[in-house]
Amino acid sequence: MLTFNKNLQKLFSIAQKEEKIGIGLMSGTSLDGLDIALCKFKGSGLQTAFKLLQFTTIPYQEDFKKEIQSVFARKDADLEKVCLLNAYIGNFHGELVLQALAEWGIKPGEVDFIASHGQTIYHAPKRLHKQAGYPNATLQIGDGDHLAVKTGILTISDFRQKHIAAGGEGAPLALYGDVLLGSKPGENRILLNIGGIANLTFLPADGNYTHILCTDIGPGNTLIDAACRKYFNMPYDEDSKIAFLGTINEPLLTALLDHPFFKESLPKTTGPELFNLAYVEKAQLRSNTLTISNEDLVSTLSAFTAKSIADFILDNFKAADIKIFNSGGGAKNIYVIEYLKEALPKAIIADTNSLAIDPDAKEAILFALLGNEALCGEPIAIGDNPAVLMGKFSFAG
């Protein structure tokens, strides 16, 4: 008679449950905090039934943000600090999960799994690193074993590596969740996420998976936030107050949009490794705009985000026949959303509340869904995207 150790027995037991309770964790490049989504799942794949039970974002303290920023998107990062943060973040995120569960009155034993994105510190597709003989690569830290041991909950993590191993770039992974939760026959939809980087998933009305597109577009909040931190000592432009005080500098905007990335074939990925303040400074030098006011700079960077999104949609889709659903921190950027509505007057633009998906919680929900698929799903072929189940399992004991 075959026997399995207790961890495998528990894993099989969870995978066979009719309903599962899972936690999705997302910590983005904007470093706002840890998004924690408590979800209930029934079934898998296109038969997935989903309900968001609880959601919270626990903000990061400034000293923690600075620790991550010291190794974030840097080729000269301190290797010892990367090593230490990998363990520290896993344990820290576990503490935040326990804190959230306590506030919700839920015991860890009631949760079947945690699905953790981790913290991206470097994203290096071949198009960006251009080093012969090396593949696409990405690195997220926040070790899953530390999370599992700290919380006592089965943890699934490091999702992006399987995507790369199977020929992808490790992003955007929103594709799989967007297809399962956001498709509607007879309706062309774009699920637009404006996080640190802007990305979208196009879901065609005909339901043909070969017509689905999921790709990064360009900068989301990353440049706006970086400028606010440097010039205003603020983490972001709350209510777009700074952007509305300034004026768009057209020569700078043109220079910002003048980069090969925007003409590269689809799908594609990017990150702060490209779109950072050094990128902005080079554009200012080319356009002779180094002396513009800080308010004009933030206004122009906000327009850069919005125009790159609008141009992409106009170039690739019939905006008159499409509904756009926003999520991510940028969905609250009044300046960016107003710009999009003016640039795309025939498109219907709303946030993902219209799909019964909290726009703040969407990315954390999507990772919980990927965790559910890792437990009981089957690989789904979507166009040229890797048909794989993603995530590595870490047991609590």
Side-chain angles (χ1 to χ4, degrees):
M1 179 178 177
L2 292 174
T3 59
F4 300 98
N5 69 45
K6 63 179 182 179
N7 285 324
L8 291 179
Q9 289 174 353
K10 185 175 182 180
L11 176 63
F12 293 147
S13 175
I14 292 172
Q16 292 171 349
K17 292 178 70 171
E18 184 176 351
E19 289 188 341
K20 302 175 187 66
I21 303 296
I23 289 176
L25 303 182
M26 180 65 198
S27 182
T29 57
S30 58
L31 301 179
D32 297 330
L34 182 66
D35 295 338
I36 307 174
L38 182 72
C39 307
K40 179 187 288 186
F41 293 101
K42 185 175 182 179
S44 63
L46 295 175
Q47 284 69 52
T48 301
F50 152 82
K51 183 178 181 181
L52 178 64
L53 303 177
Q54 298 283 353
F55 174 73
T56 188
T57 298
I58 301 181
Y60 291 146
Q61 298 299 314
E62 285 303 314
D63 57 348
F64 179 69
K65 292 182 184 180
K66 289 178 181 178
E67 288 289 283
I68 297 176
Q69 288 165 353
S70 72
V71 300
F72 178 67
R74 295 176 61 105
K75 291 184 178 181
D76 60 348
D78 182 332
L79 185 57
E80 181 179 71
K81 179 61 70 67
V82 171
C83 182
L84 296 174
L85 281 172
N86 184 44
Y88 180 84
I89 291 172
N91 192 64
F92 178 51
H93 282 181
E95 291 177 357
L96 298 185
V97 168
L98 293 176
Q99 177 183 322
L101 289 175
E103 291 174 356
W104 297 331
I106 297 171
K107 296 178 181 178
E110 298 176 56
V111 179
D112 293 308
F113 68 91
I114 294 170
S116 173
H117 169 265
Q119 180 64 58
T120 296
I121 60 168
Y122 209 88
H123 185 63
K126 287 188 287 186
R127 295 173 298 96
L128 187 60
H129 68 66
K130 300 185 188 314
Q131 296 196 47
Y134 285 92
N136 294 321
T138 191
L139 182 60
Q140 288 71 42
I141 59 174
D143 181 67
D145 284 332
H146 286 75
L147 248 170
V149 171
K150 184 69 179 181
T151 60
I153 302 170
L154 172 71
T155 296
I156 310 167
S157 64
D158 212 15
F159 289 87
R160 298 188 184 274
Q161 299 304 326
K162 179 65 73 65
H163 193 267
I164 287 177
E169 291 191 359
L173 296 189
L175 166 70
Y176 301 90
D178 286 348
V179 169
L180 297 183
L181 298 181
S183 302
K184 182 179 180 181
E187 191 168 283
N188 289 314
R189 289 179 167 183
I190 285 176
L191 271 59
L192 172 65
N193 182 69
I194 311 176
I197 296 298
N199 61 71
L200 64 73
T201 303
F202 170 66
L203 302 168
D206 62 11
N208 188 331
Y209 278 14
T210 63
H211 297 161
I212 290 172
L213 172 67
C214 186
T215 184
D216 283 353
I217 301 168
N221 302 317
T222 188
L223 294 179
I224 305 168
D225 293 352
C228 287
R229 287 193 299 268
K230 181 174 181 178
Y231 298 111
F232 295 93
N233 195 31
M234 297 171 61
Y236 64 98
D237 185 11
E238 185 176 4
D239 297 327
S240 304
K241 293 175 183 175
I242 300 171
F244 283 120
L245 286 174
T247 301
I248 298 172
N249 185 287
E250 293 294 342
L252 175 57
L253 179 57
T254 299
L256 289 166
L257 288 162
D258 183 20
H259 190 278
F261 171 80
F262 296 106
K263 298 179 179 65
E264 289 177 356
S265 60
L266 305 177
K268 56 189 176 182
T269 62
T270 189
E273 296 78 14
L274 171 60
F275 293 111
N276 49 43
L277 288 181
Y279 179 93
V280 176
E281 184 177 353
K282 291 176 183 176
Q284 288 184 277
L285 284 168
R286 295 199 309 274
S287 58
N288 195 27
T289 56
L290 284 170
T291 60
I292 66 172
S293 72
N294 295 333
E295 290 80 5
D296 286 357
L297 178 61
V298 172
S299 182
T300 306
L301 293 176
S302 301
F304 177 36
T305 289
K307 183 169 174 55
S308 60
I309 294 170
D311 287 352
F312 182 92
I313 291 172
L314 289 169
D315 288 344
N316 291 280
F317 311 109
K318 294 180 179 179
D321 184 32
I322 207 157
K323 291 186 177 180
I324 301 171
F325 300 95
N326 300 315
S327 63
K332 297 179 179 179
N333 188 309
I334 301 169
Y335 189 100
V336 169
I337 298 303
E338 286 188 2
Y339 191 113
L340 286 175
K341 288 180 177 179
E342 290 181 9
L344 305 168
K346 296 182 179 180
I348 298 172
I349 301 177
D351 64 37
T352 56
N353 276 314
S354 303
L355 305 177
I357 300 173
D358 184 332
D360 293 329
K362 179 172 176 279
E363 286 196 289
I365 291 170
L366 292 180
F367 277 93
L369 185 145
L370 288 177
N372 184 65
E373 289 296 300
L375 281 164
C376 61
E378 294 290 339
I380 299 175
I382 305 173
D384 294 330
N385 299 280
V388 291
L389 296 176
M390 293 167 280
K392 298 171 183 173
F393 289 83
S394 295
F395 299 111

